[in-house]
Coordinates of all heavy atoms in Angstrom, one line a residue:
S138 N 0.8 -1.2 0.0 CA 0.0 0.0 0.0 C 0.9 1.2 0.0 O 2.1 1.2 0.3 CB -0.9 0.0 1.2 OG -0.2 0.3 2.4
K139 N 0.2 2.4 -0.3 CA 0.9 3.6 -0.3 C 1.6 4.0 1.0 O 2.7 4.5 1.0 CB 0.0 4.7 -0.8 CG 0.7 6.0 -1.2 CD -0.3 7.0 -1.7 CE 0.3 8.3 -2.0 NZ -0.6 9.4 -2.4
V140 N 0.8 3.8 2.1 CA 1.3 4.2 3.4 C 2.6 3.3 3.8 O 3.5 3.9 4.3 CB 0.2 3.9 4.5 CG1 0.8 4.2 5.9 CG2 -1.0 4.8 4.2
Y141 N 2.5 2.1 3.4 CA 3.7 1.2 3.6 C 4.9 1.7 2.9 O 6.0 1.8 3.5 CB 3.3 -0.2 3.2 CG 4.4 -1.3 3.4 CD1 4.8 -1.6 4.6 CD2 5.1 -1.8 2.3 CE1 5.9 -2.6 4.8 CE2 6.1 -2.7 2.4 CZ 6.5 -3.1 3.7 OH 7.5 -4.0 3.9
V142 N 4.8 2.0 1.7 CA 5.9 2.5 0.9 C 6.4 3.8 1.4 O 7.6 4.1 1.6 CB 5.5 2.7 -0.6 CG1 6.6 3.4 -1.4 CG2 5.3 1.3 -1.3
Q143 N 5.5 4.7 1.9 CA 5.9 6.0 2.5 C 6.7 5.7 3.7 O 7.7 6.4 4.0 CB 4.6 6.7 2.8 CG 4.8 8.2 3.1 CD 3.5 9.0 3.3 OE1 2.4 8.4 3.1 NE2 3.6 10.2 3.6
R144 N 6.2 4.8 4.5 CA 6.9 4.4 5.8 C 8.4 3.9 5.5 O 9.3 4.3 6.2 CB 6.1 3.4 6.5 CG 6.7 3.0 7.9 CD 6.7 4.2 8.8 NE 7.8 4.1 9.7 CZ 7.7 3.6 11.0 NH1 6.5 3.2 11.4 NH2 8.8 3.6 11.8
L145 N 8.5 3.1 4.4 CA 9.8 2.6 4.0 C 10.7 3.7 3.6 O 11.9 3.7 4.0 CB 9.6 1.6 2.9 CG 9.0 0.2 3.2 CD1 8.8 -0.6 1.9 CD2 9.9 -0.5 4.2
E146 N 10.2 4.7 2.9 CA 11.0 5.8 2.4 C 11.4 6.7 3.6 O 12.5 7.1 3.7 CB 10.2 6.7 1.4 CG 10.1 6.0 0.1 CD 9.1 6.7 -0.9 OE1 8.3 7.5 -0.4 OE2 9.2 6.4 -2.1
E147 N 10.5 6.8 4.6 CA 10.9 7.5 5.9 C 12.0 6.8 6.6 O 13.0 7.4 7.1 CB 9.7 7.7 6.8 CG 8.7 8.8 6.2 CD 7.3 8.7 7.0 OE1 7.2 8.0 8.0 OE2 6.4 9.3 6.5
N148 N 11.9 5.5 6.7 CA 12.9 4.7 7.3 C 14.3 4.8 6.6 O 15.3 4.9 7.3 CB 12.5 3.2 7.3 CG 11.5 2.9 8.4 OD1 11.4 3.6 9.4 ND2 10.9 1.7 8.3
L149 N 14.2 4.8 5.3 CA 15.4 5.0 4.5 C 16.1 6.3 4.8 O 17.3 6.4 5.0 CB 15.2 4.8 3.0 CG 16.4 4.9 2.1 CD1 17.4 3.8 2.4 CD2 16.0 4.8 0.7
K150 N 15.3 7.4 4.8 CA 15.8 8.7 5.1 C 16.5 8.8 6.5 O 17.6 9.2 6.7 CB 14.7 9.8 5.0 CG 15.3 11.2 5.1 CD 14.2 12.2 5.3 CE 14.7 13.6 5.5 NZ 15.7 13.8 6.5
T151 N 15.8 8.2 7.5 CA 16.3 8.2 8.9 C 17.6 7.4 8.9 O 18.6 7.8 9.6 CB 15.3 7.6 9.8 OG1 14.0 8.3 9.7 CG2 15.7 7.7 11.3
F152 N 17.6 6.3 8.3 CA 18.8 5.4 8.2 C 20.0 6.1 7.6 O 21.1 6.1 8.1 CB 18.5 4.1 7.5 CG 19.7 3.2 7.3 CD1 20.0 2.4 8.4 CD2 20.4 3.2 6.2 CE1 21.1 1.5 8.3 CE2 21.5 2.3 6.1 CZ 21.9 1.5 7.1
N153 N 19.7 6.8 6.5 CA 20.8 7.5 5.8 C 21.3 8.7 6.7 O 22.5 9.0 6.7 CB 20.3 8.1 4.4 CG 20.3 6.9 3.4 OD1 21.0 5.9 3.5 ND2 19.4 7.1 2.4
D154 N 20.4 9.4 7.4 CA 20.8 10.4 8.3 C 21.7 9.9 9.4 O 22.7 10.5 9.8 CB 19.6 11.1 9.0 CG 18.8 11.9 8.0 OD1 19.3 12.3 6.9 OD2 17.6 12.3 8.3
L155 N 21.3 8.7 9.9 CA 22.1 8.1 11.0 C 23.5 7.7 10.4 O 24.5 7.8 11.1 CB 21.4 6.8 11.5 CG 20.3 7.0 12.4 CD1 19.5 5.7 12.7 CD2 20.7 7.6 13.8
R156 N 23.5 7.2 9.2 CA 24.8 6.8 8.6 C 25.7 8.0 8.4 O 26.9 7.9 8.6 CB 24.5 6.0 7.3 CG 25.6 5.0 7.0 CD 25.2 4.0 6.0 NE 24.5 4.6 4.8 CZ 24.1 3.9 3.8 NH1 24.3 2.6 3.7 NH2 23.5 4.5 2.8
N157 N 25.1 9.1 8.0 CA 25.9 10.4 7.9 C 26.4 10.8 9.2 O 27.6 11.3 9.3 CB 25.0 11.5 7.3 CG 24.7 11.2 5.8 OD1 25.4 10.5 5.1 ND2 23.6 11.8 5.3
K158 N 25.6 10.7 10.3 CA 26.1 11.1 11.6 C 27.2 10.2 12.0 O 28.2 10.6 12.6 CB 25.0 10.9 12.6 CG 24.0 12.1 12.6 CD 22.9 11.9 13.7 CE 21.9 13.0 13.6 NZ 20.8 12.8 14.6
K159 N 27.1 8.9 11.7 CA 28.2 7.9 12.1 C 29.5 8.3 11.4 O 30.5 8.4 12.1 CB 27.7 6.5 11.6 CG 28.8 5.4 11.8 CD 28.3 4.1 11.2 CE 29.3 3.1 11.0 NZ 29.7 2.5 12.3
N160 N 29.4 8.7 10.1 CA 30.6 9.1 9.4 C 31.2 10.3 10.0 O 32.4 10.5 10.1 CB 30.3 9.3 7.9 CG 30.0 8.0 7.2 OD1 30.4 6.9 7.6 ND2 29.3 8.1 6.1
T161 N 30.3 11.3 10.4 CA 30.8 12.5 11.0 C 31.5 12.3 12.3 O 32.6 12.8 12.5 CB 29.6 13.5 11.2 OG1 29.0 13.8 9.9 CG2 30.1 14.8 11.8
F162 N 30.9 11.5 13.1 CA 31.5 11.2 14.4 C 32.8 10.4 14.3 O 33.8 10.7 15.0 CB 30.6 10.4 15.4 CG 29.4 11.2 15.9 CD1 28.1 10.8 15.8 CD2 29.6 12.5 16.4 CE1 27.0 11.6 16.3 CE2 28.6 13.3 16.9 CZ 27.3 12.8 16.8
E163 N 32.9 9.5 13.3 CA 34.1 8.7 13.1 C 35.2 9.7 12.6 O 36.4 9.5 13.0 CB 33.9 7.6 12.1 CG 33.1 6.4 12.7 CD 32.7 5.4 11.7 OE1 32.8 5.6 10.5 OE2 32.4 4.3 12.2
S164 N 34.9 10.6 11.8 CA 35.8 11.6 11.3 C 36.3 12.5 12.4 O 37.5 12.8 12.5 CB 35.2 12.4 10.2 OG 36.0 13.4 9.7
S165 N 35.4 12.9 13.3 CA 35.7 13.8 14.4 C 36.7 13.1 15.4 O 37.6 13.7 15.9 CB 34.5 14.2 15.1 OG 33.7 15.0 14.3
I166 N 36.4 11.8 15.6 CA 37.3 11.0 16.5 C 38.7 10.9 15.9 O 39.7 11.1 16.6 CB 36.7 9.6 16.7 CG1 35.4 9.7 17.6 CG2 37.7 8.6 17.3 CD1 34.5 8.5 17.6
S167 N 38.8 10.6 14.6 CA 40.1 10.5 13.9 C 40.8 11.9 14.0 O 42.0 11.9 14.2 CB 39.9 10.2 12.4 OG 39.4 8.9 12.3
N168 N 40.1 13.0 13.8 CA 40.7 14.3 13.9 C 41.3 14.5 15.3 O 42.4 15.1 15.5 CB 39.7 15.4 13.6 CG 39.4 15.4 12.1 OD1 40.1 14.9 11.3 ND2 38.2 16.1 11.8
C169 N 40.5 14.1 16.3 CA 41.0 14.3 17.7 C 42.2 13.4 17.9 O 43.2 13.9 18.6 CB 39.9 13.9 18.7 SG 38.6 15.1 18.9
E170 N 42.2 12.2 17.5 CA 43.4 11.3 17.6 C 44.6 11.9 16.9 O 45.7 11.9 17.5 CB 43.1 9.9 17.1 CG 42.1 9.1 17.9 CD 41.6 7.9 17.3 OE1 41.8 7.7 16.1 OE2 41.0 7.1 18.1
Y171 N 44.4 12.5 15.8 CA 45.5 13.1 15.0 C 46.0 14.3 15.8 O 47.3 14.4 16.0 CB 45.0 13.5 13.6 CG 46.1 14.4 12.9 CD1 47.1 13.7 12.2 CD2 46.0 15.7 12.9 CE1 48.1 14.5 11.5 CE2 47.0 16.5 12.2 CZ 48.0 15.8 11.6 OH 48.9 16.6 10.9
S172 N 45.1 15.1 16.3 CA 45.6 16.3 17.1 C 46.3 15.9 18.4 O 47.2 16.6 18.8 CB 44.4 17.2 17.4 OG 43.8 17.6 16.2
I173 N 45.8 14.8 19.0 CA 46.5 14.4 20.3 C 47.9 13.9 20.0 O 48.8 14.3 20.6 CB 45.6 13.2 20.9 CG1 44.3 13.8 21.5 CG2 46.4 12.5 22.0 CD1 43.3 12.8 21.9
T174 N 48.0 13.1 18.9 CA 49.3 12.6 18.5 C 50.2 13.8 18.2 O 51.4 13.8 18.5 CB 49.2 11.7 17.3 OG1 48.3 10.6 17.6 CG2 50.5 11.1 16.9
N175 N 49.7 14.7 17.5 CA 50.4 15.9 17.1 C 50.9 16.7 18.3 O 52.1 17.2 18.3 CB 49.5 16.8 16.2 CG 50.3 17.9 15.5 OD1 51.4 17.7 15.0 ND2 49.7 19.1 15.4
E176 N 50.0 16.8 19.3 CA 50.4 17.6 20.5 C 51.5 16.9 21.3 O 52.4 17.5 21.8 CB 49.2 17.8 21.4 CG 49.4 18.7 22.6 CD 49.8 20.1 22.3 OE1 49.3 20.7 21.3 OE2 50.6 20.6 23.0
Y177 N 51.4 15.5 21.3 CA 52.4 14.7 22.0 C 53.8 14.9 21.4 O 54.8 14.7 22.0 CB 52.1 13.3 22.1 CG 51.2 12.9 23.3 CD1 49.9 12.4 23.2 CD2 51.7 13.2 24.6 CE1 49.2 12.1 24.3 CE2 50.9 12.9 25.7 CZ 49.7 12.3 25.6 OH 48.9 12.0 26.7
S178 N 53.8 15.1 20.1 CA 55.1 15.2 19.3 C 55.8 16.5 19.5 O 56.9 16.7 19.1 CB 54.8 14.9 17.8 OG 54.2 16.0 17.3
K179 N 55.1 17.5 20.1 CA 55.7 18.8 20.3 C 56.8 18.8 21.4 O 56.7 17.9 22.3 CB 54.6 19.9 20.6 CG 53.7 20.2 19.5 CD 52.7 21.2 19.9 CE 51.7 21.5 18.8 NZ 50.6 22.4 19.2
E180 N 57.7 19.7 21.3 CA 58.7 19.8 22.3 C 58.1 20.2 23.7 O 58.5 19.7 24.7 CB 59.8 20.9 21.9 CG 61.2 20.5 22.3 CD 62.2 21.4 21.6 OE1 62.4 21.2 20.4 OE2 62.8 22.3 22.3
Q181 N 57.2 21.2 23.6 CA 56.5 21.6 24.9 C 55.1 21.0 24.8 O 54.2 21.6 24.1 CB 56.4 23.1 25.0 CG 57.8 23.7 25.3 CD 58.2 23.5 26.7 OE1 57.4 23.6 27.6 NE2 59.4 23.1 26.9
V182 N 54.8 19.9 25.4 CA 53.5 19.2 25.4 C 52.6 20.0 26.3 O 52.9 20.2 27.5 CB 53.6 17.7 25.7 CG1 52.2 17.1 25.8 CG2 54.5 17.0 24.8
N183 N 51.4 20.4 25.8 CA 50.4 21.1 26.6 C 49.4 20.1 27.0 O 48.5 19.6 26.3 CB 49.8 22.2 25.7 CG 48.9 23.1 26.5 OD1 48.3 22.7 27.5 ND2 48.7 24.3 26.1
S184 N 49.5 19.7 28.3 CA 48.5 18.7 28.9 C 47.1 19.2 28.9 O 46.2 18.3 28.8 CB 49.0 18.3 30.3 OG 49.0 19.4 31.1
I185 N 46.9 20.5 29.0 CA 45.5 21.0 28.9 C 44.9 20.7 27.6 O 43.7 20.3 27.5 CB 45.4 22.5 29.3 CG1 45.8 22.6 30.8 CG2 44.0 23.1 29.1 CD1 46.1 24.1 31.2
V186 N 45.6 21.0 26.5 CA 45.2 20.8 25.2 C 44.8 19.3 25.0 O 43.8 18.9 24.4 CB 46.2 21.2 24.1 CG1 45.8 20.7 22.7 CG2 46.4 22.7 24.1
I187 N 45.7 18.4 25.5 CA 45.5 17.0 25.4 C 44.2 16.6 26.1 O 43.4 15.8 25.6 CB 46.7 16.2 25.8 CG1 47.8 16.4 24.8 CG2 46.4 14.7 26.0 CD1 49.2 15.9 25.2
S188 N 44.1 17.1 27.3 CA 42.9 16.8 28.1 C 41.6 17.2 27.4 O 40.6 16.5 27.4 CB 42.9 17.5 29.5 OG 43.9 16.9 30.3
N189 N 41.6 18.4 26.9 CA 40.4 18.9 26.1 C 40.1 18.0 24.9 O 38.9 17.7 24.6 CB 40.6 20.4 25.7 CG 40.6 21.3 26.9 OD1 40.0 21.0 27.9 ND2 41.1 22.5 26.7
L190 N 41.1 17.7 24.2 CA 40.9 16.8 23.0 C 40.4 15.4 23.4 O 39.6 14.9 22.8 CB 42.3 16.7 22.2 CG 42.7 17.9 21.4 CD1 44.2 17.8 21.0 CD2 41.8 18.1 20.2
Q191 N 41.0 14.9 24.5 CA 40.5 13.6 25.0 C 39.1 13.6 25.4 O 38.3 12.7 25.1 CB 41.4 13.2 26.2 CG 41.3 11.7 26.5 CD 41.8 10.8 25.4 OE1 42.9 10.9 24.9 NE2 40.9 9.9 25.0
F192 N 38.7 14.7 26.1 CA 37.3 14.9 26.5 C 36.4 15.0 25.3 O 35.3 14.3 25.2 CB 37.1 16.2 27.3 CG 35.7 16.5 27.7 CD1 35.2 15.8 28.8 CD2 35.0 17.4 27.1 CE1 33.9 16.0 29.2 CE2 33.6 17.6 27.4 CZ 33.1 16.9 28.5
K193 N 36.8 15.8 24.3 CA 36.0 15.8 23.0 C 35.8 14.5 22.3 O 34.8 14.1 21.9 CB 36.6 16.8 22.0 CG 36.2 18.3 22.3 CD 37.1 19.2 21.5 CE 36.9 19.1 20.0 NZ 37.6 20.2 19.3
K194 N 37.0 13.8 22.3 CA 37.0 12.4 21.7 C 36.0 11.5 22.4 O 35.3 10.8 21.8 CB 38.4 11.9 21.7 CG 38.5 10.5 21.0 CD 40.0 10.0 21.0 CE 40.0 8.6 20.6 NZ 40.8 7.7 21.5
N195 N 36.1 11.5 23.7 CA 35.2 10.7 24.5 C 33.7 11.0 24.2 O 32.9 10.1 24.2 CB 35.5 10.8 26.0 CG 36.8 10.2 26.4 OD1 37.4 9.4 25.7 ND2 37.3 10.6 27.6
C196 N 33.4 12.3 24.1 CA 32.0 12.7 23.8 C 31.6 12.2 22.4 O 30.5 11.7 22.3 CB 31.9 14.2 23.8 SG 32.1 14.9 25.5
Y197 N 32.5 12.3 21.4 CA 32.2 11.8 20.1 C 32.0 10.3 20.1 O 31.1 9.7 19.5 CB 33.3 12.1 19.1 CG 33.4 13.6 18.8 CD1 34.7 14.2 18.7 CD2 32.3 14.4 18.5 CE1 34.8 15.6 18.4 CE2 32.4 15.8 18.2 CZ 33.7 16.3 18.2 OH 33.8 17.7 17.8
E198 N 32.8 9.6 20.9 CA 32.7 8.1 21.0 C 31.4 7.7 21.6 O 30.7 6.7 21.2 CB 33.9 7.5 21.8 CG 35.1 7.5 21.0 CD 36.4 7.2 21.7 OE1 36.4 7.2 23.0 OE2 37.4 6.8 21.1
T199 N 30.9 8.5 22.6 CA 29.6 8.2 23.3 C 28.5 8.4 22.2 O 27.6 7.6 22.1 CB 29.4 9.2 24.5 OG1 30.4 8.9 25.4 CG2 28.0 8.9 25.1
E200 N 28.5 9.5 21.5 CA 27.5 9.8 20.4 C 27.6 8.7 19.4 O 26.5 8.3 18.9 CB 27.8 11.2 19.8 CG 27.6 12.3 20.7 CD 26.2 12.7 21.1 OE1 25.3 12.1 20.4 OE2 26.0 13.4 22.0
L201 N 28.8 8.3 19.0 CA 28.9 7.2 18.0 C 28.3 5.9 18.4 O 27.6 5.3 17.7 CB 30.4 7.0 17.6 CG 30.7 5.9 16.6 CD1 30.0 6.2 15.3 CD2 32.2 5.8 16.4
A202 N 28.5 5.6 19.7 CA 27.9 4.3 20.2 C 26.4 4.4 20.2 O 25.7 3.4 19.8 CB 28.4 4.1 21.7
S203 N 25.8 5.6 20.5 CA 24.4 5.7 20.4 C 23.9 5.6 19.0 O 22.9 4.9 18.7 CB 24.0 7.1 21.0 OG 22.7 7.4 20.7
V204 N 24.6 6.2 18.0 CA 24.2 6.1 16.6 C 24.3 4.7 16.1 O 23.4 4.1 15.5 CB 25.0 7.1 15.8 CG1 24.9 6.7 14.3 CG2 24.6 8.5 16.0
N205 N 25.4 4.0 16.5 CA 25.6 2.6 16.1 C 24.5 1.7 16.6 O 24.0 0.8 16.0 CB 27.0 2.1 16.5 CG 28.1 2.6 15.6 OD1 27.9 2.9 14.5 ND2 29.3 2.6 16.2
S206 N 24.1 2.0 17.9 CA 23.0 1.2 18.5 C 21.7 1.4 17.7 O 21.0 0.4 17.4 CB 22.8 1.7 19.9 OG 21.6 1.2 20.5
K207 N 21.4 2.6 17.3 CA 20.2 2.9 16.5 C 20.3 2.2 15.1 O 19.3 1.6 14.6 CB 20.0 4.4 16.3 CG 19.5 5.0 17.6 CD 19.4 6.5 17.4 CE 19.2 7.2 18.8 NZ 19.4 8.6 18.7
I208 N 21.5 2.3 14.5 CA 21.7 1.7 13.2 C 21.5 0.2 13.2 O 20.9 -0.4 12.3 CB 23.1 2.0 12.6 CG1 23.1 3.5 12.2 CG2 23.5 1.1 11.4 CD1 24.5 4.0 11.7
S209 N 21.9 -0.4 14.3 CA 21.8 -1.9 14.4 C 20.3 -2.4 14.5 O 20.1 -3.6 14.4 CB 22.5 -2.4 15.7 OG 21.9 -2.0 16.8
Q210 N 19.4 -1.5 14.7 CA 18.0 -1.8 14.8 C 17.3 -2.0 13.4 O 16.2 -2.4 13.3 CB 17.2 -0.8 15.6 CG 17.6 -0.8 17.1 CD 17.1 0.4 17.8 OE1 16.2 1.2 17.3 NE2 17.5 0.6 19.0
Y211 N 18.1 -1.6 12.4 CA 17.5 -1.7 11.0 C 17.9 -3.0 10.3 O 19.0 -3.5 10.6 CB 18.0 -0.5 10.2 CG 17.4 0.8 10.5 CD1 17.8 1.6 11.6 CD2 16.3 1.3 9.8 CE1 17.2 2.8 12.0 CE2 15.7 2.5 10.2 CZ 16.2 3.2 11.2 OH 15.6 4.4 11.6
N212 N 17.0 -3.4 9.5 CA 17.3 -4.6 8.7 C 17.0 -4.3 7.2 O 16.1 -3.6 6.9 CB 16.4 -5.8 9.1 CG 16.7 -6.2 10.5 OD1 17.8 -6.6 10.8 ND2 15.7 -6.2 11.3
M213 N 17.8 -4.9 6.3 CA 17.6 -4.8 4.9 C 16.6 -5.9 4.5 O 16.6 -7.0 4.9 CB 18.9 -5.1 4.1 CG 19.8 -4.0 4.1 SD 19.3 -2.7 2.9 CE 20.8 -1.9 2.6
I214 N 15.6 -5.5 3.7 CA 14.7 -6.5 3.1 C 14.7 -6.3 1.6 O 14.8 -5.1 1.1 CB 13.2 -6.3 3.6 CG1 12.7 -4.9 3.4 CG2 13.1 -6.8 5.0 CD1 11.2 -4.8 3.6
N215 N 14.7 -7.4 0.9 CA 14.8 -7.3 -0.6 C 13.4 -7.2 -1.2 O 12.5 -7.9 -0.8 CB 15.5 -8.5 -1.1 CG 17.0 -8.5 -0.8 OD1 17.7 -7.5 -1.0 ND2 17.5 -9.6 -0.3
E216 N 13.3 -6.2 -2.0 CA 12.1 -6.0 -2.8 C 12.4 -6.3 -4.2 O 13.6 -6.2 -4.6 CB 11.6 -4.6 -2.7 CG 11.0 -4.3 -1.3 CD 9.6 -4.9 -1.1 OE1 8.8 -4.8 -2.0 OE2 9.4 -5.4 0.0
P217 N 11.4 -6.7 -5.1 CA 11.7 -7.1 -6.4 C 12.5 -6.0 -7.2 O 13.4 -6.2 -8.0 CB 10.4 -7.3 -7.1 CG 9.5 -7.6 -5.9 CD 10.0 -6.9 -4.7
D218 N 12.1 -4.7 -6.9 CA 12.7 -3.6 -7.7 C 13.8 -2.9 -7.0 O 14.6 -2.1 -7.6 CB 11.6 -2.6 -8.0 CG 10.9 -2.1 -6.8 OD1 10.9 -2.7 -5.7 OD2 10.3 -1.0 -6.8
D219 N 14.0 -3.1 -5.7 CA 15.0 -2.3 -5.0 C 15.2 -2.9 -3.6 O 14.6 -3.9 -3.2 CB 14.6 -0.9 -4.9 CG 15.7 0.1 -4.8 OD1 16.9 -0.4 -4.6 OD2 15.5 1.3 -4.9
Q220 N 16.1 -2.3 -2.9 CA 16.3 -2.7 -1.5 C 15.7 -1.6 -0.6 O 15.9 -0.4 -0.9 CB 17.8 -2.8 -1.1 CG 18.4 -4.1 -1.6 CD 19.7 -4.4 -0.9 OE1 20.5 -3.4 -0.8 NE2 20.0 -5.6 -0.5
W221 N 15.0 -2.0 0.4 CA 14.5 -1.1 1.4 C 15.0 -1.4 2.8 O 15.4 -2.5 3.1 CB 12.9 -1.2 1.4 CG 12.3 -0.8 0.1 CD1 12.0 -1.6 -0.9 CD2 11.9 0.5 -0.2 NE1 11.4 -0.8 -1.9 CE2 11.4 0.5 -1.5 CE3 12.0 1.8 0.4 CZ2 10.9 1.6 -2.2 CZ3 11.6 2.9 -0.3 CH2 11.0 2.8 -1.6
I222 N 14.9 -0.4 3.6 CA 15.4 -0.5 5.0 C 14.2 -0.4 5.9 O 13.4 0.6 5.8 CB 16.5 0.5 5.3 CG1 17.7 0.1 4.4 CG2 16.8 0.5 6.8 CD1 18.8 1.1 4.4
V223 N 14.0 -1.3 6.8 CA 12.9 -1.2 7.7 C 13.4 -1.3 9.2 O 14.5 -1.8 9.4 CB 11.9 -2.4 7.5 CG1 11.1 -2.2 6.2 CG2 12.5 -3.7 7.6
E224 N 12.7 -0.7 10.0 CA 13.0 -0.7 11.5 C 12.1 -1.7 12.2 O 10.9 -1.8 11.9 CB 12.8 0.7 12.0 CG 13.4 0.8 13.4 CD 13.3 2.2 14.0 OE1 12.5 3.0 13.5 OE2 14.0 2.5 14.9

């Protein structure tokens, strides 16, 4: 029915939004890790900068875990014409 297809399309949009968030958080975590490594390589290591980066990284990791948990609730179902994602 039309409502069913509409619901599938909404699920797909939500799923894609979650996947985009996942990519953003993973990228942010990598950036923090890079910055932390960079800071440690300096002659004068600033422990406050490292603490702040570590805190940000932990926040991103918490957000990522939440997004991954939501993503894991979705399943792919095969339709004759395409693939749909349902929750």
Side-chain angles (χ1 to χ4, degrees):
S138 72
K139 190 178 179 185
V140 175
Y141 178 69
V142 171
Q143 195 175 355
R144 183 64 209 263
L145 288 174
E146 286 170 345
E147 287 167 10
N148 280 344
L149 181 61
K150 185 192 179 309
T151 305
F152 178 81
N153 286 332
D154 289 346
L155 285 168
R156 214 163 41 177
N157 290 338
K158 282 183 184 173
K159 175 183 169 75
N160 291 337
T161 300
F162 288 131
E163 285 175 345
S164 174
S165 297
I166 290 165
S167 292
N168 290 340
C169 285
E170 287 170 347
Y171 172 81
S172 297
I173 289 167
T174 303
N175 192 38
E176 187 59 39
Y177 272 121
S178 71
K179 291 180 180 174
E180 216 167 290
Q181 289 289 313
V182 176
N183 187 334
S184 59
I185 293 169
V186 169
I187 290 171
S188 292
N189 288 340
L190 286 165
Q191 194 63 55
F192 178 77
K193 277 170 65 173
K194 182 180 169 230
N195 290 345
C196 291
Y197 292 136
E198 286 172 340
T199 301
E200 295 288 346
L201 177 62
S203 171
V204 167
N205 281 338
S206 169
K207 288 174 188 164
I208 287 174
S209 71
Q210 293 168 8
Y211 287 81
N212 294 303
M213 282 284 202
I214 55 168
N215 289 312
E216 288 287 315
D218 56 338
D219 207 348
Q220 279 195 318
W221 294 94
I222 291 169
V223 291
E224 188 176 21

